[in-house]
Amino acid sequence: MRVVGIETEYGITDPSDPGANPILLSSLLVEACRTWAGGKTTRWDYGGEDPLMDLRGMRRDRRYATADLLTDSPEYSAANRGVTLRRRRGSWEDPAHLNAVLPNGARFYVDHAHPEYSGPEVTSAHDAVVWDVAGDRIAAAAADVFRQDGNVALYKNNVDGKGASYGMHENYLVDRAVDFETLARRLTPHLVTRAVVIGAGRVGLGVYGEEPGFQMSQRADYMEAEVGLETTLRRPIVNTRDEPHADRRKWRRLHVIIGDANCMEVPTYLKVGATALVLTAIEAGDERLDALVLRNPVDEVSAVSHDLTLRHRLELASGETATALEIQRALLTISRDYVRDADDARVLERWERVLDALGRDPFEAAREVEWVAKLQLLGRMRERYAVAHPDGSREIPGWDDDRLRAADVQWAELGKGLAARLTAAGAVERLTTDDEIASAMALPPRTTRAWLRGRMVAERGDIVDAAGWSTVVIDREQEHGHLEVVSLPDPTTTSYHLLDTLLAEASGPDAPARD
Amino acid sequence: MAQTTANSSPFEDDAPEPDAPAAPAAQASLDALDSLLDEIDEGIQTNASQFVRSFVQKGGQ
């Protein structure tokens, strides 16, 4: 499969002080995470990020940025895959307390007013789940350290019910040769309709939850545009942010911001796996996808999410109509032609099974689909809290009942949330094992450059100055006084002579003393 | 906004009858839900409103 990565912004509170500053809480959590990692973390290297923005201090529509505009940064030159020297930088350097690059290749940091785990690059849907769940466990472990001196709770959701939304973003490496407008047009029907499979469920309709009800998706009511650069306002279905963190002549990094953060594993698996398959069909120029183009995609995002009957018919540009399930089935059929390996085949099989179950009776998918699992639990809760009247009728609590709204949030609490407890009770299907997750908390995936990044952080803290998605920065104070920037523009690089040698020194008989 | 039993089913006429005999697997799953609801019952009955009010986040990406 292609290279993918998942980023999660967690909700954060101090349960004993609801007014606590979330930016401060988040930075203390990053500090706690560094402690959890035994100090085996490094700073983030901003040097290789968005050279246009950094070097010229201007902002432009990245859709129109071409490779020749960006070759002023030698670290991005594919021809110069070697080591670049860099002078030590001044006080504008990343404040260390806001960032930690972890031994598993992930970045744990403060983004806006939330802690964020940006998982390492992976190359299969299964690995995406493994390192995503590992991130939740790492965040929970950091919270445990935090609680030795204070109080904190973390939530893997996307809304607070009062107007705020924060994201789970997926990143897909996509062939630069694909025309972006075509990519956006052909991907949008999938991004709009996949909510039936991957929605995390939400109590409340509307940005502020102003209308009582239950809907499939956390994020749906916050999507306001078809295509755009923003991620915090006028959020688009297809985001045009274009920092590939890779050789930009070959690749684009598609940044998908419409999805829900999931507390269950099957939705994460299908979120990444099915979307990657559809992208393969788009790269192949499959024109069948054009038959699924929607007339009003932005309106349909909420319409799909609000329709628990799965019968809403979306208007297609062709003038025909189709349900979200029908569109998902059509995408499944097209994707079948692009299965390249056993991982793809397993994704396709699971995707089909879930669509079949949803088509028969959504509750059949309660072990796999998160919004159904949540709806089932909350439905049971409504039964439990129903009030019997003297005339024999029963009154069931409405969706604006605070007990239901509280359970919706508590569903997503890391560690002891309702989803975590249902998973522990075996009521939810898992795709990973605890051993896999424990390993992924400490080790990077072996199939990408995250391996080099994470292992260097874990083993060569004595000389690693910083690391980024496409760089590892080595401190050569003793040798020549400068920093050496190792450029890794190909995300599938798993071996690099200089780094391999430094790692071998660490594990060899002459391993340097560690502080 | 309370609803009466008649229109409370989330999936309209497709929803399974609450009293219909459940398959063993489905019953096991409902048992898990019920024991979870037993565990959280006290906390949620007394603290739900305050919890909902105090869960306030800043917008992110």
Side-chain angles (χ1 to χ4, degrees), chain A residues 436-451:
Chain A
E436 267 181 301
I437 303 303
S439 169
M441 289 169 73
L443 289 171
R446 286 190 170 271
T447 54
T448 67
R449 64 190 175 192
W451 177 256

Side-chain angles (χ1 to χ4, degrees), chain A residues 46-63 65-66 69-73 76 89 92 112 229-231 239-245 248 253 255, chain B residues 61:
Chain A
Y46 283 101
E49 274 211 344
D50 197 354
L52 262 190
M53 196 96 83
D54 281 355
L55 296 178
R56 299 175 182 182
M58 63 188 194
R59 183 186 174 93
R60 57 184 298 129
D61 190 333
R62 309 294 304 192
R63 277 181 295 178
T66 54
L69 282 173
L70 296 147
T71 50
D72 46 2
S73 166
Y76 270 110
R89 288 177 292 188
W92 59 273
H112 297 264
L229 184 61
E230 293 92 349
T231 56
N239 185 240
T240 53
R241 178 186 292 185
D242 187 14
E243 305 162 75
H245 304 311
R248 76 165 48 238
R253 175 177 63 117
H255 188 231
Chain B
Q61 294 206 37

Side-chain angles (χ1 to χ4, degrees), chain B residues 1 12-13 19 26 30-32 35 43 45 48 51 55-58:
Chain B
M1 188 196 74
E12 298 178 348
D13 49 340
D19 297 329
L30 289 184
D31 289 347
S35 40
Q45 290 278 25
F51 178 83
F55 186 76
V56 179
Q57 297 292 300
K58 297 262 191 234

Side-chain angles (χ1 to χ4, degrees), chain A residues 113-134:
Chain A
H114 299 271
E116 172 163 332
Y117 170 86
S118 291
E121 306 93 322
V122 296
T123 56
S124 77
H126 181 82
D127 282 357
V129 176
V130 169
W131 271 273
D132 183 66
V133 176

Side-chain angles (χ1 to χ4, degrees), chain A residues 6 8 10 125-126 128-134 136-137 156-158 168 196-201 214 216 218 260-272 350 353-354 358 362-377 411-414 417-432 437, chain B residues 29 33 36:
Chain A
I6 300 177
T8 305
Y10 298 103
H126 181 82
V129 176
V130 169
W131 271 273
D132 183 66
V133 176
D136 297 345
R137 299 275 179 91
K156 197 183 188 185
N157 58 8
N158 303 106
M168 178 288 309
V196 299
V197 173
I198 68 152
F214 184 92
M216 289 173 196
Q218 294 257 308
D260 290 356
N262 288 110
C263 298
M264 285 168 52
E265 296 185 358
V266 173
T268 303
Y269 180 71
L270 291 178
K271 183 159 69 187
V272 169
R350 174 72 66 162
R353 209 171 89 191
V354 169
L358 287 169
F363 280 124
E364 268 191 43
R367 291 177 54 82
E368 294 167 286
V369 175
E370 189 163 343
W371 68 267
V372 178
K374 187 187 278 184
L375 181 61
Q376 190 180 46
L377 180 71
W411 174 269
E413 185 176 354
L414 290 189
L418 305 182
R421 287 152 81 159
L422 280 183
T423 305
V428 159
E429 185 146 347
R430 283 195 64 183
L431 303 173
T432 67
I437 303 303
Chain B
S29 153
L33 300 189
L36 176 55

Side-chain angles (χ1 to χ4, degrees), chain A residues 123-167:
Chain A
T123 56
S124 77
H126 181 82
D127 282 357
V129 176
V130 169
W131 271 273
D132 183 66
V133 176
D136 297 345
R137 299 275 179 91
I138 288 170
D144 285 341
V145 173
F146 189 120
R147 281 190 280 264
Q148 291 168 8
D149 287 318
N151 202 357
V152 72
L154 300 175
Y155 298 86
K156 197 183 188 185
N157 58 8
N158 303 106
V159 296
D160 70 350
K162 295 162 189 80
S165 181
Y166 33 100

Side-chain angles (χ1 to χ4, degrees), chain A residues 2 65 69 106 120 144 178 227 234 238 305 327 336 359 382 388 427 433 449 493:
Chain A
R2 73 188 60 246
L69 282 173
D144 285 341
V178 178
V227 174
R234 259 189 77 70
V238 174
S305 180
I327 292 171
R336 205 179 292 284
R382 297 175 84 195
T433 64
R449 64 190 175 192
T493 300

